[in-house]
Amino acid sequence: MKILVIGGGGREHALAWKLKQSPKASQVFVAPGNAGTARDSGLKNVPITDVVALREWAQANAIALTVVGPEAPLAAGVVDEFRAHGLRVFGPTKAAAQLESSKAFSKAFMLRHGIPTAAYDSFTDAAQAHAYIDRMGAPIVVKADGLAAGKGVVVAMTAAEAHEAVDFMLLDNTLGVSHNAGGARVVIEEFLQGEEASFIVLCDGKNVLALATSQDHKRLQDGDQGPNTGGMGAYSPAPVVTPDVHARAMREIILPTIRGMEKDGIPYTGFLYAGLMISPDGAVKTLEFNCRMGDPETQPIMMRLKSDLVDVMLAATSLELDKTELDWDRRTALGVVLAAHGYPMNPRKGDTITGLPADADDAMVFHAGTQLDGDAVKVSGGRVLCVTVLADSVKVGQQRAYDVTRGIHFDGMQFRRDIGSRALKS
């Protein structure tokens, strides 16, 4: 069958790479894709991003299954468009994707359905937001209410930082984020102590199937210093997600979310990502929801998945996830993100990438912000590559990933040198 993956980042490269391994996949297309998918003989890029044009292309090319990777087309209603024309597509509808596209919607939903999360309030008026910060004090968290490519969260350790974030998001609106009613809005919430983890599941509207646990590193620099990013590296499994934490996350967060969406008349289908904050006593709270797989968590998770992903996607689009089991490689997968000069706020584009290694079963370089310029691979986005390996331990995985990383070069390349450190501490 012909399969389409929508998106052009590292997550989509990893999904397409895994889907093409299925004997059921005759051809896997990626729209728009990147230099990595363009260079893979088993994949073919499609230079289309418009939702209606994509649907028309999928119909004309007899696409049997579409998997949506990033948040923007989901928020734009690509699933609704495909389903309205009888196409099989995996992802949430525009209404369901509000769990990610609107922080205010998500927080109100959690409050309504008793899902544990941080206390909060939302504001469109900067003066009211500043008064709230003065009243609550710091540390405190300020979030842009909308899609901000992983850069719309400021964990403010001082009140001054929080005030600056409010001005940045509301008055300047440098991020260009608009909530569903138009304009800019922020959600301000209490600071939670603990350790973060990514909890990602598949949903078919009623049934839920958990993926392997994972944990990413959000801050730009070693030791969790510097600004928040979309993610500078990840590994799977995550030791912090113990069997008890896993059970609590399913019981207290994931299942109530799926039941709540169904009760609200918005059945949830697709990947669901819950960012967890795990307290020292094992209690869990929801930091955020994403309506797609995490990036860079997808890359290590796909490396560990031994099951046929096409079979899994077909079950997920046929209300049959309850009949499905997943088989995982026992090894650790670890990915190190290589980012552009100036990332996260002002990534520089156009630098030439050299030293890319050949693909291997236990070592892949997944592309994100890359494009082909003739035969040259150039930087085209903030997060550029994710060097992802399989190894018998986190320590060996670190060594292998950084060995591969040392052979790759582009001017201004940024990467953390401590990916996996939390797992070693555990």
Side-chain angles (χ1 to χ4, degrees):
M1 66 172 66
K2 294 180 181 179
I3 299 169
L4 171 64
V5 176
I6 296 177
R11 168 184 45 237
E12 291 76 44
H13 188 183
L15 287 168
W17 169 81
K18 189 63 188 177
L19 287 163
K20 76 169 185 176
Q21 296 171 19
S22 171
K24 293 183 175 66
S26 60
Q27 179 69 65
V28 177
F29 299 91
V30 190
N34 54 44
T37 53
R39 284 157 50 103
D40 189 323
S41 61
L43 305 174
K44 186 174 178 58
N45 284 357
V46 178
I48 302 173
T49 55
D50 178 75
V51 166
V52 174
L54 271 173
R55 185 264 301 164
E56 291 173 343
W57 183 91
Q59 286 180 302
N61 288 272
I63 297 298
L65 169 68
T66 298
V67 179
V68 187
E71 59 273 28
L74 293 171
V78 69
V79 169
D80 309 69
E81 178 70 21
F82 273 54
R83 284 186 183 166
H85 292 84
L87 294 166
R88 183 188 289 258
V89 58
F90 185 65
T93 61
K94 181 177 182 178
Q98 289 180 96
L99 277 178
E100 177 173 8
S101 65
S102 171
K103 295 286 191 294
F105 174 93
S106 177
K107 297 293 284 191
F109 170 86
M110 286 187 271
L111 187 66
R112 188 163 65 250
H113 293 284
I115 297 164
T117 190
Y120 81 102
D121 206 342
S122 60
F123 303 90
T124 55
D125 181 88
Q128 292 178 6
H130 288 308
Y132 184 78
I133 292 166
D134 288 336
R135 189 163 70 252
M136 302 304 293
I140 199 165
V141 181
V142 184
K143 297 180 177 181
D145 180 33
L147 301 179
K151 297 184 286 290
V153 177
V154 172
V155 180
M157 301 311 292
T158 66
E161 284 182 271
H163 288 305
E164 183 181 7
V166 165
D167 288 342
F168 176 71
M169 295 178 189
L170 279 185
L171 298 182
D172 303 334
N173 195 15
T174 305
L175 293 174
V177 174
S178 295
H179 62 77
N180 292 334
R185 178 165 60 192
V186 294
V187 168
I188 304 178
E189 59 184 41
E190 69 171 317
F191 173 80
L192 298 177
Q193 293 276 8
E195 190 165 355
E196 290 186 44
S198 308
F199 199 91
I200 307 172
V201 301
L202 298 155
C203 311
D204 65 11
K206 290 186 177 294
N207 306 299
V208 175
L209 187 63
L211 295 175
T213 61
S214 59
Q215 193 167 23
D216 77 337
H217 295 254
K218 289 289 187 193
R219 299 279 188 160
L220 180 68
Q221 298 160 358
D222 291 358
D224 292 327
Q225 300 299 306
N228 263 341
T229 71
M232 292 301 293
Y235 53 89
S236 173
V240 69
V241 185
T242 64
D244 180 61
V245 168
H246 192 286
R248 291 186 73 162
M250 288 292 288
R251 182 176 68 249
E252 299 173 14
I253 296 173
I254 299 297
L255 292 176
T257 298
I258 300 307
R259 303 291 174 260
M261 292 293 280
E262 192 174 18
K263 184 177 180 181
D264 289 353
I266 316 172
Y268 192 93
T269 58
F271 296 110
L272 179 65
Y273 169 120
L276 304 182
M277 181 61 81
I278 304 166
S279 67
D281 65 358
V284 293
K285 286 190 176 182
T286 317
L287 291 172
E288 64 177 353
F289 285 120
N290 291 332
C291 294
R292 30 79 188 188
M293 286 194 74
D295 186 346
E297 295 95 331
T298 304
Q299 293 87 313
I301 290 172
M302 288 298 109
M303 287 287 281
R304 290 189 61 217
L305 181 63
K306 296 172 73 174
S307 304
D308 186 319
L309 185 57
V310 173
D311 285 342
V312 177
M313 293 289 97
L314 292 176
T317 50
S318 303
L319 271 175
E320 293 182 345
L321 276 181
D322 55 330
K323 303 173 185 176
T324 307
E325 293 184 358
L326 299 177
D327 187 19
W328 299 100
D329 194 305
R330 62 171 181 79
R331 291 175 290 177
T332 293
L334 184 143
V336 176
V337 169
L338 312 184
H341 173 82
Y343 179 76
M345 295 313 298
N346 296 293
R348 185 174 70 201
K349 301 177 182 180
D351 290 309
T352 300
I353 304 165
T354 59
L356 291 168
D359 296 347
D361 290 341
D362 60 352
M364 279 289 301
V365 178
F366 293 109
H367 289 234
T370 66
Q371 65 181 23
L372 282 181
D373 182 4
D375 292 332
V377 179
K378 299 285 186 77
V379 172
S380 65
R383 289 183 298 166
V384 181
L385 304 166
C386 184
V387 177
T388 313
V389 302
L390 278 170
D392 288 328
S393 69
V394 173
K395 192 70 178 173
V396 175
Q398 284 181 323
Q399 294 168 352
R400 183 85 197 282
Y402 287 111
D403 281 346
V404 176
T405 296
R406 275 189 286 273
I408 301 170
H409 174 79
F410 55 89
D411 288 345
M413 185 171 85
Q414 301 184 78
F415 62 94
R416 284 182 58 159
R417 291 163 175 80
D418 64 346
I419 301 303
S421 57
R422 292 182 197 152
L424 291 175
K425 288 177 186 175
S426 298

